[in-house]
Amino acid sequence: MILLIFGFHETLSGSSNELNPVILILIINRIKSRISDLKMADFHRRLQRLRDRAAGITIPRLFRDRLNPLEVVSPEEVFRRYRFRPESIITLVTLMFPLLERATLRSCPLPPLLSVLVTLHFVASSSHYTVIGDVHGLSASSVCRAVRRVIIIMAGLAKRVVSFRRDVGVCKAEFYALAGFPNVIGLIDGTQVRVRAPHEFEADYVNRKGYHSINVQMVCDAKLRFMNVVAKWPGSVHDSRIFKESRLASELEQGQHNGYILGDSGYGCKPYLLTPYLNPRTGPQERYNEALVRTRVTVERSFGVLKRRFPCLSYGLRLEPEMACQVIIACVFLHNYGIEHRDIMANMHDATDIDQPQADVIPANENGLRYRDIVAQRYF
C-alpha cells in the first residue's frame, strides 16, 4: 500500500516480508519531502494572511444559509420532528429568549429559535449531533453547544411548572373520579432511564435489569402532569431510599401537604404514603387494593407518555450521568409545558411504561399500617 501511494510499482526482490533497502530509503525520502511540502504550503498561507492583514485587506467570513424550519415545513411535520406545534415553539422561544439572547453579535451566535429547535430535535429523536447538524445546516460542535445550553436553561425553568398544585380540592376530586380513592394528592413511582456507562462508580449505575441507568423518582396528578421529580440517583439505588432522602418526604412528614400519595409495594407504608396490601384478607382490603391499582396506573401511563414523546429517555442518553439528569428534568419541563398549552400527542392515554416494583420487603411504619386499615375500613 505504501509503495502504491508514493508511486513505487517495482516488484520487490527477495522474501515478501522484506523490503529492499534502496527502495526503503527512497520511500523515507519521499515521505520527508511530502511533509516538507505541506509545511511550506501552510507557512505560505499564513504569511500571505499576515501580508493581507497589514495591507488592510479583509477576507469576508462565509456563513451557511440557515433556513427557518417553521416556515418551510408543514405543521404536521414540525410536530413529528420537534414534538410541538409551531405556535407552542414560538411561545417557548419567547419564554426563554431573555436567557438565550447573547449580549453581542460579534461571534455570530445561533438565533434563539434555532437553538431551541435543535434541542427539541435531540430530545425527540436521540439522534447524533452530526445528523441534527446536517438537517439544520450546522456543525456537530455548534449543535452540541446549543443543546447543552438550552437543556440547562430548561432544567432551571422546571421549578416554575413542576410543583404541587394549589387547587388541592380539584386535584383530589380528579383522583377520586378515577377509582373512588379519597384524599389523594399524587402518585409516586420510579422509572429507569438508560445512560452511558460513567467513568467513575460505574457499578453503582447498573440496575437490577443489568444496564446502566438513572433511577428517576416522579410524582404525577390525575391529568398526567408531573408535580415532583428527583433525577440524580444511580440505577442501583432502591426507590424507597430515593424517597426517604428526598425533600418531598420531609415536606410530607412535616404536614406541608394536605393529603397522601399512593405508591407500590416498593415503598414502606406511612400515613402520608399508602401502599397496597401484600396479602389482603377481607373484602375492604381487596377493594382497597383494586382501587389503588386502578388509580396508580396513571403514573405508569405518565411515564409512557413522557418516553413516547421524548424517545431519548426510552432509547437511552449517550451522556455522562450529570448531563443526563439535566436532560431528564428538561424533558419533564417540556412535558408539563405541552399539557399546560394543550399541545399533546394523539392517543396520549394509550401509552404506558410498566415497571415491576422492586422485590425487597420494605419495613412499614406502624402508624402507616394503622392508618391504611382505617382508610380501608372507612371508605371501602
Side-chain angles (χ1 to χ4, degrees):
M1 179 62 71
I2 295 177
L3 298 180
L4 293 176
I5 292 175
F6 290 96
F8 293 95
H9 305 282
E10 296 85 358
T11 303
L12 299 180
S13 61
S15 173
S16 60
N17 296 329
E18 297 180 359
L19 283 175
N20 190 305
V22 176
I23 296 179
L24 183 59
I25 293 175
L26 291 175
I27 292 174
I28 295 174
N29 290 337
R30 181 66 64 86
I31 294 174
K32 290 181 179 180
S33 176
R34 292 289 177 86
I35 294 175
S36 298
D37 291 343
L38 292 175
K39 289 183 177 180
M40 287 302 298
D42 182 66
F43 171 77
H44 284 299
R45 283 195 297 269
R46 292 175 180 269
L47 182 61
Q48 185 63 39
R49 193 178 302 167
L50 292 174
R51 289 173 178 173
D52 293 341
R53 185 178 300 174
I57 301 175
T58 58
I59 302 176
R61 295 178 62 186
L62 299 178
F63 299 98
R64 298 182 183 181
D65 185 16
R66 297 165 182 162
L67 298 177
N68 181 0
L70 302 184
E71 297 177 352
V72 297
V73 180
S74 65
E76 293 76 15
E77 178 64 19
V78 169
F79 186 84
R80 188 189 68 82
R81 184 181 297 181
Y82 303 108
R83 292 299 193 268
F84 287 95
R85 294 178 174 81
E87 300 78 10
S88 300
I89 294 177
I90 295 299
T91 304
L92 179 62
V93 173
T94 303
L95 175 65
M96 301 178 61
F97 189 83
L99 302 174
L100 285 172
E101 187 181 20
R102 298 290 183 91
T104 176
L105 297 178
R106 182 177 179 180
S107 60
C108 194
L110 294 182
L113 175 61
L114 195 55
S115 297
V116 173
L117 287 178
V118 298
T119 304
L120 293 178
H121 194 177
F122 169 74
V123 298
S125 64
S126 191
S127 298
H128 291 277
Y129 293 148
T130 302
V131 177
I132 299 175
D134 292 341
V135 172
H136 297 87
L138 303 173
S139 65
S141 58
S142 296
V143 173
C144 178
R145 289 192 296 268
V147 168
R148 286 181 174 271
R149 186 166 182 235
V150 174
I151 286 295
I152 292 175
I153 293 175
M154 288 182 177
L157 293 174
K159 298 178 181 179
R160 302 184 183 182
V161 297
V162 183
S163 60
F164 275 83
R165 294 168 55 172
R166 296 182 179 180
D167 54 343
V168 180
V170 177
C171 182
K172 292 181 179 179
E174 292 172 351
F175 276 119
Y176 186 81
L178 295 178
F181 212 108
N183 207 33
V184 179
I185 60 173
L187 308 173
I188 188 172
D189 203 357
T191 185
Q192 300 285 346
V193 177
R194 187 188 297 266
V195 296
R196 185 174 65 185
H199 299 293
E200 297 182 351
F201 310 107
E202 179 267 341
D204 293 341
Y205 289 86
V206 179
N207 59 29
R208 68 183 189 276
K209 295 183 178 180
Y211 61 86
H212 299 85
S213 65
I214 300 291
N215 193 357
V216 186
Q217 172 186 286
M218 299 191 203
V219 178
C220 77
D221 64 8
K223 300 300 182 182
L224 309 183
R225 176 183 173 273
F226 291 108
M227 302 183 293
N228 181 267
V229 57
V230 178
K232 63 179 181 179
W233 292 89
S236 63
V237 179
H238 199 279
D239 291 349
S240 62
R241 183 188 174 188
I242 297 176
F243 174 72
K244 181 180 179 181
E245 300 290 339
S246 67
R247 181 181 301 178
L248 175 61
S250 301
E251 293 175 354
L252 291 169
E253 188 75 35
Q254 297 170 8
Q256 297 184 22
H257 298 283
N258 180 20
Y260 43 74
I261 59 178
L262 302 182
D264 58 25
S265 56
Y267 298 93
C269 186
K270 300 179 183 299
Y272 48 81
L273 198 169
L274 298 184
T275 61
Y277 287 95
L278 296 180
N279 298 297
R281 300 177 179 177
T282 65
Q285 292 181 359
E286 292 179 353
R287 291 190 290 271
Y288 166 95
N289 273 9
E290 181 182 356
L292 187 144
V293 170
R294 289 172 55 192
T295 304
R296 271 202 71 259
V297 74
T298 303
V299 69
E300 297 166 354
R301 189 181 301 124
S302 67
F303 290 158
V305 170
L306 178 68
K307 293 184 178 182
R308 180 179 174 185
R309 185 165 194 169
F310 306 112
C312 67
L313 303 182
S314 180
Y315 299 150
L317 296 169
R318 296 180 295 271
L319 301 168
E320 293 296 325
E322 183 177 358
M323 189 61 195
C325 293
Q326 296 292 313
V327 173
I328 295 169
I329 297 175
C331 289
V332 173
F333 162 76
L334 292 172
H335 172 88
N336 283 6
Y337 173 84
I339 293 177
E340 180 180 346
H341 290 79
R342 298 183 178 180
D343 192 353
I344 60 178
M345 299 180 63
N347 302 322
M348 183 177 70
H349 296 279
D350 295 339
T352 55
D353 182 65
I354 301 177
D355 189 11
Q356 296 297 327
Q358 295 172 333
D360 298 342
V361 178
I362 306 302
N365 183 284
E366 291 296 331
N367 293 333
L369 296 177
R370 191 178 303 111
Y371 190 81
R372 182 175 65 181
D373 292 338
I374 293 175
V375 171
Q377 291 293 335
R378 179 176 298 180
Y379 298 105
F380 300 96

